[in-house]
């Protein structure tokens, strides 16, 4: 697949390259740079949040405090992904462990029985759960306070249903607002942060002193792929310190079964190792087990749950591969890909959609068919706001929600072809071919002699890396190939020694053997890379982790 190289600037010295890297992250003023580089309290970023968000926090605090004074049962209504699980755990731990409030409950919907977020069936089961807890007691609750986390902003009918039952509702969410908002008692909404961070902010406003809850907000932020800028960056920076110094309950057991004990946990480990194990529970089993992992006092039970999640994740990986192998595409890839099958597992369709995007760089819709209805999961590419497009055809869906880059829906099977036809026209009329060509973002073109310890120390200060703040990439041109060695178990990775006329530099290029079928010693190449620290037998060196090469012109 052809890839464009978007090179932000060119630099010949260390100060210039530092400036380019910061400008690439939209940081130019001394104040912005200072806030970015120092360990800022995440709550300080609330100053930049809209006034109605801050007012909603005050109102929610007062509403909750009054409920606690009246001993009103409170039930946290969560969601079955990592963000919803972490958000539920944050608030449940605050009420149960810090306030020692006895009338606190949580409910995580089952993807297959209750659907996404707030639904009438999940509300009914939640009410029964509270009522069962009060069986045999003199006073049974007349009112329940529902607090939704990471869901609810589109639940117009469900909010009315809760009010008709005589209960109260606070919605905390971060998903895109629809035109018609649900009539909750209070809406605490922001799309700047993930659902777990909205819950974390609410817990702080309520008086939480826990240092562990920020670790769960960190896991959710990375797993939900939010930009690591502003409050998100401050959350993750603080949270990673907590995780690496003394992982909170649940996470330490998950780290253990994932084979990460003794290793530094960073954004990669959260996003690609730990997060998927949490998400797997909601895809194939009961996500409430993952909440129990983060809230259970007994370490033996927590370890058993962590082992279960590890096993479920292995099953999830196998099922994803099986489903992906069912796909077949034409030689010419369309501008968007829509596939449906009754053999698609509903809990895995999002992973398959993501894999299609990675493989073909096209927005993708994967639909699991079940009788009259299909459940769809959608993933997009940069520059195409998929939820905005889908909302134009809202009348086709039974329900619809999501973000600019990801969405989910339920649709009648007979309407799928109509949706496909409508989207085909949108993608043909509105987008140029160039948007469907993947690109590699490069911070700066630099000479090889800049790759040294002063630059590396500056790069380390930019951590944590992630969405919106990736590890810096560089390009250096006309590097001669002084040595080629194929390494790894299957000899598919390429170890290179490169030479610019003055300096030799080692580089590693993973899964690249076929790229060197027509390249050999003495050829000159342009190289895109990031800089990594290598340690072996007590020796430290800087290596190039190569992302792309081209024959020099």
């Amino acid at each position: 697949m052809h890839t464009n190289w978007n090179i932000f600037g060119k630099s010949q010295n260390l100060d210039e390259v530092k400036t380019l890297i910061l400008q690439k992250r939209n940081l130019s003023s001394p104040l912005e740079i200072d806030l970015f580089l120092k360990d800022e309290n995440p709550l300080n970023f609330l100053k930049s949040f809209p006034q109605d968000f801050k007012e909603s926090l005050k109102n929610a605090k007062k509403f909750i405090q009054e409920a606690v004074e009246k001993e009103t049962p409170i039930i946290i209504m969560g969601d079955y992904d990592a963000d919803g699980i972490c958000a539920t755990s944050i608030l449940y731990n605050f009420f149960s462990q810090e306030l020692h409030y006895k009338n606190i409950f949580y409910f995580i919907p089952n993807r297959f029985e209750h659907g996404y977020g707030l639904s009438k069936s999940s509300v009914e089961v939640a009410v029964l759960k509270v009522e069962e807890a009060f069986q045999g007691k003199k006073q049974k609750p007349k009112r329940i306070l529902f607090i939704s986390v990471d869901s609810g902003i589109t639940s117009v009918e469900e909010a009315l249903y809760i009010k008709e039952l005589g209960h109260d509702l606070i919605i905390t969410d971060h998903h895109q607002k629809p035109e018609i908002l649900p009539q909750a008692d209070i809406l605490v909404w922001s799309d700047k942060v993930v659902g777990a961070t909205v819950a974390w902010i609410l817990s702080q406003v309520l008086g939480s002193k826990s240092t562990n809850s920020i670790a769960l907000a960190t896991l959710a932020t990375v797993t939900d792929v939010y930009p690591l800028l502003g409050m998100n960056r401050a959350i993750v920076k603080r949270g990673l310190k907590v995780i690496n110094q003394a992982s909170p309950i649940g996470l330490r057991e998950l780290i253990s079964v994932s084979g990460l004990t003794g290793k530094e946990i960073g954004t990669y480990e959260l996003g690609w190792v730990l997060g998927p194990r949490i998400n797997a529970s909601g895809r194939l089993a009961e996500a409430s087990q993952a909440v129990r992992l983060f809230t259970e006092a007994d370490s033996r039970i927590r370890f058993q749950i962590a082992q279960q999640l590890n096993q479920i994740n292995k099953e999830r990986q196998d099922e994803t591969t099986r489903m992906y192998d069912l796909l077949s595409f034409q030689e010419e890839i369309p501008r968007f890909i829509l596939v449906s099958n009754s053999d698609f597992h509903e809990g895995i369709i999002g992973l398959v959609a993501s894999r299609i995007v990675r493989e073909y760089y096209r927005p993708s819709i994967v639909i699991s068919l079940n009788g009259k209805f299909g459940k769809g999961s959608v993933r997009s590419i940069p520059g195409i706001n998929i939820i905005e497009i889908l909302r134009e055809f809202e009348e086709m869906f039974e329900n619809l929600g999501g973000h600019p880059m990801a969405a989910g829906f339920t649709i009648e099977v007979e309407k799928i072809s109509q949706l496909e036809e409508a989207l085909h026209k949108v993608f043909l009329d509105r987008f140029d071919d160039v948007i469907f060509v993947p690109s590699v973002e490069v911070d700066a073109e630099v000479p090889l002699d800049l790759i040294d310890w002063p630059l590396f120390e500056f790069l380390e200060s930019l951590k944590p890396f992630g969405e919106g703040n990736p590890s810096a990439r560089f390009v250096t041109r006309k590097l001669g190939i002084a040595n080629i060695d194929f390494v790894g178990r299957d000899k598919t990775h390429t170890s290179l020694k490169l030479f610019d006329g003055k300096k030799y530099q080692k580089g590693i290029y993973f899964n690249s053997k076929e790229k060197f079928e027509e390249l050999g010693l003495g050829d000159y190449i342009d190289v895109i890379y990031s800089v990594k620290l290598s340690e072996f037998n007590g020796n430290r060196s800087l290596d190039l982790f190569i992302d792309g090469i081209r024959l020099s012109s």
Side-chain angles (χ1 to χ4, degrees), residues 431-494:
F431 300 107
D432 296 326
D433 288 341
V434 67
I435 204 168
F436 301 103
V437 178
S439 60
V440 178
E441 297 295 319
V442 180
D443 292 80
E445 180 180 338
V446 298
L448 201 58
D449 61 11
L450 272 188
I451 308 307
D452 211 340
W453 295 106
L455 173 61
F456 179 73
E457 287 167 10
F458 172 72
L459 297 178
E460 287 291 283
S461 72
L462 303 178
K463 287 182 173 180
F465 298 128
E467 184 72 16
N469 180 38
S471 178
R473 281 197 186 101
F474 306 101
V475 64
T476 301
R477 301 191 187 276
K478 296 187 177 178
L479 292 177
I481 300 175
N483 191 52
I484 299 176
D485 190 18
F486 298 112
V487 298
R489 184 186 301 171
D490 300 320
K491 304 292 183 184
T492 55
H493 311 314
T494 311

XYZ file of all heavy atoms in Angstrom, residues 431-494:
512
model
N -15.606 13.145 -0.835
C -14.201 12.939 -0.472
C -13.331 12.696 -1.705
O -13.715 11.964 -2.615
C -14.077 11.751 0.498
C -14.846 11.946 1.776
C -16.019 11.235 2.019
C -14.422 12.861 2.720
C -16.738 11.418 3.186
C -15.134 13.063 3.891
C -16.295 12.337 4.131
N -12.168 13.349 -1.688
C -11.188 13.141 -2.751
C -10.388 11.876 -2.478
O -10.287 11.418 -1.328
C -10.235 14.342 -2.840
C -10.969 15.614 -3.244
O -11.932 15.505 -4.030
O -10.587 16.695 -2.766
N -9.771 11.350 -3.540
C -8.998 10.109 -3.409
C -7.887 10.214 -2.368
O -7.546 9.244 -1.705
C -8.385 9.720 -4.762
C -9.435 9.226 -5.741
O -10.529 8.846 -5.287
O -9.172 9.232 -6.955
N -7.332 11.425 -2.212
C -6.155 11.585 -1.356
C -6.444 11.220 0.100
O -5.544 10.770 0.822
C -5.620 13.040 -1.449
C -6.598 14.038 -0.841
C -4.253 13.161 -0.793
N -7.707 11.382 0.546
C -8.020 11.088 1.945
C -7.935 9.597 2.245
O -7.798 9.180 3.393
C -9.418 11.643 2.316
C -9.494 11.888 3.838
C -10.545 10.711 1.868
C -10.696 12.697 4.277
N -7.971 8.755 1.191
C -7.930 7.303 1.368
C -6.514 6.740 1.199
O -6.339 5.531 1.103
C -8.888 6.623 0.393
C -10.308 7.077 0.562
C -10.876 7.977 -0.319
C -11.067 6.637 1.641
C -12.176 8.416 -0.155
C -12.367 7.070 1.822
C -12.931 7.966 0.920
N -5.539 7.638 1.150
C -4.135 7.215 1.100
C -3.539 7.426 2.485
O -3.510 8.556 2.986
C -3.335 8.016 0.057
C -1.866 7.580 0.063
C -3.936 7.845 -1.330
N -3.070 6.362 3.156
C -2.504 6.529 4.501
C -1.243 7.374 4.469
O -0.539 7.413 3.448
C -2.194 5.096 4.942
C -2.075 4.314 3.691
C -2.993 4.962 2.697
N -0.981 8.049 5.550
C 0.206 8.885 5.619
C 0.958 8.638 6.915
O 0.367 8.254 7.922
C -0.166 10.367 5.514
O -1.031 10.733 6.560
N 2.251 8.838 6.867
C 3.091 8.767 8.053
C 3.475 10.194 8.421
O 4.008 10.938 7.589
C 4.368 7.933 7.785
C 5.246 7.910 9.028
C 4.002 6.526 7.363
N 3.159 10.583 9.645
C 3.483 11.932 10.110
C 4.913 11.958 10.645
O 5.267 11.159 11.515
C 2.506 12.367 11.202
C 1.065 12.468 10.736
C 0.874 13.560 9.697
O 1.468 14.657 9.859
O 0.136 13.321 8.717
N 5.723 12.867 10.103
C 7.134 12.976 10.485
C 7.366 14.353 11.093
O 6.995 15.370 10.506
C 8.050 12.776 9.259
C 9.518 12.883 9.662
C 7.774 11.427 8.595
N 7.992 14.384 12.276
C 8.213 15.661 12.954
C 9.262 16.511 12.258
O 9.092 17.723 12.133
C 8.641 15.407 14.405
C 7.514 14.806 15.231
O 7.279 13.588 15.135
O 6.858 15.560 15.952
N 10.353 15.876 11.816
C 11.432 16.686 11.243
C 12.379 15.837 10.407
O 12.629 14.670 10.711
C 12.222 17.377 12.368
N 12.903 16.445 9.363
C 14.028 15.869 8.622
C 15.305 16.358 9.291
O 15.503 17.565 9.483
C 13.996 16.317 7.161
C 15.135 15.755 6.335
C 15.098 16.208 4.887
O 14.011 16.594 4.401
O 16.172 16.172 4.237
N 16.160 15.416 9.691
C 17.349 15.772 10.470
C 18.572 15.023 9.938
O 18.440 13.950 9.340
C 17.163 15.422 11.967
C 16.017 16.205 12.575
C 16.963 13.924 12.163
N 19.770 15.575 10.190
C 20.988 14.811 9.901
C 21.207 13.744 10.974
O 20.719 13.879 12.105
C 22.084 15.877 9.940
C 21.554 16.938 10.844
C 20.070 16.944 10.654
N 21.963 12.722 10.637
C 22.155 11.600 11.556
C 22.891 11.996 12.835
O 22.667 11.404 13.893
C 22.912 10.480 10.830
C 22.791 9.074 11.413
C 21.336 8.639 11.479
C 23.596 8.087 10.575
N 23.740 13.011 12.750
C 24.527 13.357 13.943
C 23.690 13.996 15.055
O 24.163 14.168 16.181
C 25.724 14.255 13.583
C 25.317 15.575 12.950
O 24.109 15.892 12.972
O 26.191 16.274 12.412
N 22.427 14.350 14.769
C 21.554 14.851 15.835
C 21.023 13.742 16.732
O 20.515 13.993 17.824
C 20.358 15.603 15.229
C 20.537 17.084 14.938
C 19.209 17.705 14.535
C 21.095 17.829 16.133
N 21.125 12.499 16.257
C 20.616 11.363 17.046
C 21.644 11.040 18.121
O 22.562 10.245 17.937
C 20.350 10.139 16.148
C 19.473 10.536 14.962
C 19.691 9.032 16.968
C 18.177 11.239 15.343
N 21.480 11.716 19.265
C 22.434 11.586 20.361
C 21.690 11.795 21.688
O 20.497 12.093 21.704
C 23.573 12.601 20.188
C 24.893 12.087 20.745
O 24.850 11.158 21.585
O 25.942 12.623 20.369
N 22.403 11.680 22.784
C 21.783 11.676 24.105
C 21.022 12.953 24.449
O 19.946 12.871 25.063
C 22.832 11.357 25.177
C 23.355 9.961 25.009
C 24.571 9.595 24.526
C 22.646 8.746 25.272
N 24.689 8.225 24.479
C 23.518 7.668 24.932
C 21.384 8.456 25.759
C 23.154 6.338 25.071
C 21.008 7.124 25.902
C 21.890 6.085 25.553
N 21.498 14.154 24.115
C 20.700 15.360 24.430
C 19.316 15.329 23.784
O 18.326 15.707 24.419
C 21.555 16.503 23.878
C 22.957 15.977 23.926
C 22.835 14.519 23.584
N 19.214 14.866 22.526
C 17.920 14.755 21.873
C 17.072 13.690 22.574
O 15.875 13.901 22.837
C 18.084 14.392 20.390
C 16.779 14.096 19.639
C 15.858 15.313 19.644
C 17.056 13.637 18.210
N 17.681 12.557 22.920
C 16.929 11.487 23.567
C 16.350 11.945 24.904
O 15.197 11.622 25.231
C 17.831 10.267 23.777
C 17.135 9.124 24.460
C 16.202 8.359 23.788
C 17.408 8.824 25.788
C 15.552 7.310 24.424
C 16.767 7.777 26.428
C 15.828 7.013 25.739
N 17.126 12.707 25.678
C 16.632 13.192 26.968
C 15.418 14.106 26.780
O 14.453 14.064 27.551
C 17.752 13.937 27.708
C 18.817 12.989 28.256
C 20.072 13.716 28.703
O 20.042 14.968 28.758
O 21.080 13.044 28.989
N 15.454 14.939 25.721
C 14.298 15.787 25.431
C 13.090 14.936 25.032
O 11.967 15.187 25.486
C 14.627 16.770 24.308
C 13.436 17.552 23.832
C 12.886 18.553 24.609
C 12.845 17.263 22.599
C 11.768 19.263 24.179
C 11.739 17.963 22.165
C 11.201 18.971 22.961
N 13.312 13.920 24.212
C 12.213 13.046 23.787
C 11.576 12.348 24.983
O 10.360 12.169 25.040
C 12.715 12.005 22.777
C 13.256 12.549 21.452
C 13.757 11.405 20.583
C 12.193 13.346 20.711
N 12.398 11.953 25.965
C 11.866 11.304 27.165
C 10.948 12.238 27.948
O 9.983 11.790 28.574
C 13.021 10.841 28.060
C 13.764 9.623 27.532
C 12.915 8.369 27.598
O 12.767 7.812 28.694
O 12.392 7.953 26.550
N 11.230 13.542 27.900
C 10.400 14.507 28.642
C 9.019 14.663 28.032
O 8.118 15.221 28.666
C 11.099 15.876 28.693
O 11.063 16.513 27.423
N 8.828 14.194 26.793
C 7.535 14.303 26.122
C 6.574 13.186 26.510
O 5.391 13.242 26.172
C 7.729 14.285 24.599
C 8.638 15.349 24.001
C 8.744 15.149 22.494
C 8.123 16.745 24.317
N 7.067 12.149 27.188
C 6.200 11.043 27.582
C 5.128 11.535 28.561
O 5.338 12.527 29.253
C 7.033 9.932 28.243
C 7.889 9.137 27.270
C 8.634 8.042 28.031
C 9.385 7.109 27.083
N 10.111 6.052 27.814
N 3.977 10.845 28.623
C 3.626 9.598 27.942
C 3.177 9.826 26.504
O 2.493 10.806 26.208
C 2.467 9.056 28.789
C 1.830 10.285 29.363
C 2.941 11.260 29.587
N 3.572 8.906 25.629
C 3.186 8.981 24.234
C 1.849 8.284 24.020
O 1.474 7.359 24.742
C 4.248 8.322 23.355
C 5.594 8.981 23.427
C 6.734 8.239 23.701
C 5.721 10.346 23.237
C 7.977 8.837 23.766
C 6.960 10.962 23.309
C 8.097 10.210 23.576
N 1.153 8.718 22.996
C -0.131 8.114 22.664
C -0.829 8.955 21.621
O -0.210 9.779 20.940
N -2.132 8.763 21.491
C -2.929 9.526 20.536
C -2.754 11.016 20.793
O -2.848 11.489 21.920
C -4.406 9.150 20.678
C -5.321 9.807 19.681
C -5.167 9.255 18.278
O -4.574 8.166 18.129
O -5.671 9.893 17.342
N -2.468 11.788 19.725
C -2.270 13.227 19.866
C -0.876 13.622 20.295
O -0.473 14.778 20.142
N -0.128 12.694 20.862
C 1.263 12.947 21.265
C 2.073 11.681 21.010
O 2.534 11.024 21.937
C 1.333 13.336 22.746
C 2.761 13.599 23.195
O 3.571 14.173 22.458
N 3.096 13.155 24.392
N 2.245 11.338 19.725
C 2.986 10.111 19.417
C 4.473 10.279 19.653
O 4.976 11.398 19.758
C 2.695 9.902 17.924
C 2.473 11.291 17.398
C 1.798 12.044 18.506
N 5.154 9.155 19.731
C 6.616 9.187 19.788
C 7.127 9.913 18.552
O 6.660 9.668 17.437
C 7.142 7.744 19.814
O 8.544 7.743 19.831
N 8.061 10.847 18.748
C 8.529 11.683 17.635
C 9.161 10.831 16.533
O 9.899 9.889 16.809
C 9.532 12.708 18.140
N 8.839 11.182 15.287
C 9.424 10.500 14.128
C 10.314 11.464 13.357
O 10.006 12.650 13.225
C 8.322 10.005 13.183
C 7.634 8.721 13.604
C 6.897 8.165 12.395
N 6.094 7.003 12.726
C 4.774 7.026 12.906
N 4.129 8.170 12.810
N 4.120 5.922 13.164
N 11.394 10.908 12.810
C 12.332 11.694 12.014
C 12.561 11.016 10.670
O 12.287 9.828 10.507
C 13.668 11.826 12.757
C 13.526 12.376 14.147
C 13.564 11.533 15.250
C 13.346 13.738 14.353
C 13.419 12.031 16.537
C 13.202 14.243 15.636
C 13.249 13.387 16.729
N 13.057 11.804 9.722
C 13.515 11.238 8.456
C 14.929 11.733 8.204
O 15.255 12.891 8.462
C 12.575 11.607 7.287
C 12.553 13.103 7.023
C 12.966 10.861 6.023
N 15.792 10.812 7.786
C 17.143 11.163 7.348
C 17.331 10.572 5.957
O 16.990 9.407 5.720
C 18.199 10.617 8.317
O 17.962 11.153 9.628
C 19.602 11.010 7.866
N 17.867 11.378 5.060
C 17.971 10.966 3.660
C 19.393 10.494 3.317
O 20.360 10.845 3.979
C 17.573 12.108 2.733
C 16.141 12.599 2.980
C 15.682 13.538 1.877
N 14.400 14.147 2.183
C 13.219 13.578 1.956
N 13.161 12.374 1.433
N 12.094 14.221 2.252
N 19.451 9.673 2.258
C 20.714 9.215 1.658
C 21.639 8.545 2.668
O 22.805 8.924 2.825
C 21.417 10.376 0.949
C 20.601 10.898 -0.228
C 21.344 11.918 -1.040
C 20.493 12.346 -2.235
N 21.125 13.389 -3.063
N 21.082 7.564 3.359
C 21.901 6.749 4.253
C 22.317 5.486 3.519
O 21.476 4.770 2.957
C 21.103 6.375 5.511
C 20.756 7.525 6.459
C 19.896 7.024 7.614
C 22.013 8.203 6.991
N 23.616 5.231 3.516
C 24.117 4.043 2.835
C 23.917 2.791 3.683
O 24.065 2.823 4.903
N 23.546 1.677 3.034
C 23.379 0.401 3.743
C 24.748 -0.262 3.865
O 25.327 -0.718 2.872
C 22.396 -0.525 2.993
C 21.020 0.139 2.873
C 22.274 -1.862 3.722
C 20.023 -0.648 2.044
N 25.271 -0.287 5.091
C 26.593 -0.874 5.327
C 26.505 -2.344 5.705
O 27.475 -3.096 5.536
C 27.326 -0.092 6.418
N 25.333 -2.760 6.239
C 25.171 -4.170 6.599
C 23.683 -4.490 6.710
O 22.881 -3.659 7.141
C 25.860 -4.479 7.928
C 25.928 -5.980 8.191
O 26.393 -6.744 7.350
N 25.444 -6.401 9.347
N 23.309 -5.700 6.293
C 21.937 -6.192 6.408
C 21.975 -7.557 7.077
O 22.757 -8.425 6.682
C 21.261 -6.340 5.025
C 21.191 -4.995 4.293
C 19.862 -6.923 5.173
C 20.634 -5.111 2.892
N 21.114 -7.726 8.091
C 21.033 -9.015 8.758
C 19.569 -9.291 9.095
O 18.895 -8.440 9.669
C 21.873 -8.990 10.048
C 22.028 -10.385 10.649
O 21.804 -11.361 9.919
O 22.371 -10.468 11.845
N 19.083 -10.453 8.685
C 17.697 -10.816 8.980
C 17.649 -11.569 10.308
O 18.366 -12.557 10.496
C 17.100 -11.644 7.847
C 17.056 -10.882 6.540
C 17.863 -11.250 5.472
C 16.225 -9.772 6.401
C 17.843 -10.540 4.289
C 16.197 -9.055 5.214
C 17.007 -9.436 4.155
N 16.790 -11.086 11.217
C 16.785 -11.595 12.593
C 15.373 -11.998 13.006
O 14.408 -11.802 12.276
C 17.345 -10.536 13.565
C 18.788 -10.205 13.235
C 16.492 -9.253 13.531
N 15.279 -12.563 14.210
C 14.000 -13.027 14.726
C 13.816 -14.505 14.454
O 14.559 -15.122 13.690
N 12.811 -15.074 15.102
C 12.573 -16.511 14.986
C 12.400 -16.952 13.533
O 12.939 -17.959 13.101
C 11.320 -16.881 15.791
C 11.043 -18.381 15.818
C 9.711 -18.679 16.503
N 9.692 -18.174 17.871
C 8.607 -18.149 18.637
N 7.443 -18.563 18.146
N 8.660 -17.709 19.877
N 11.635 -16.149 12.767
C 11.381 -16.501 11.366
C 12.233 -15.691 10.391
O 11.980 -15.712 9.177
C 9.898 -16.304 11.039
C 9.002 -17.172 11.909
O 9.381 -18.332 12.148
O 7.948 -16.679 12.351
N 13.211 -14.965 10.935
C 14.103 -14.141 10.108
C 13.330 -13.146 9.243
O 13.683 -12.887 8.081
C 14.973 -15.035 9.202
C 15.790 -16.090 9.936
C 16.875 -15.470 10.787
C 17.748 -16.524 11.466
N 18.750 -15.939 12.376
N 12.262 -12.554 9.809
C 11.439 -11.613 9.047
C 11.773 -10.151 9.362
O 11.322 -9.247 8.663
C 9.950 -11.845 9.346
O 9.740 -11.771 10.762
C 9.487 -13.200 8.831
N 12.534 -9.929 10.443
C 12.908 -8.561 10.813
C 14.294 -8.253 10.234
O 15.115 -9.155 10.055
C 12.939 -8.393 12.333
C 11.715 -8.920 13.013
N 10.446 -8.657 12.568
C 11.578 -9.721 14.118
C 9.572 -9.251 13.362
N 10.233 -9.913 14.302
N 14.525 -6.976 9.970
C 15.778 -6.578 9.349
C 16.588 -5.694 10.283
O 16.114 -4.648 10.731
C 15.525 -5.811 8.035
O 14.608 -6.540 7.235
C 16.825 -5.623 7.271
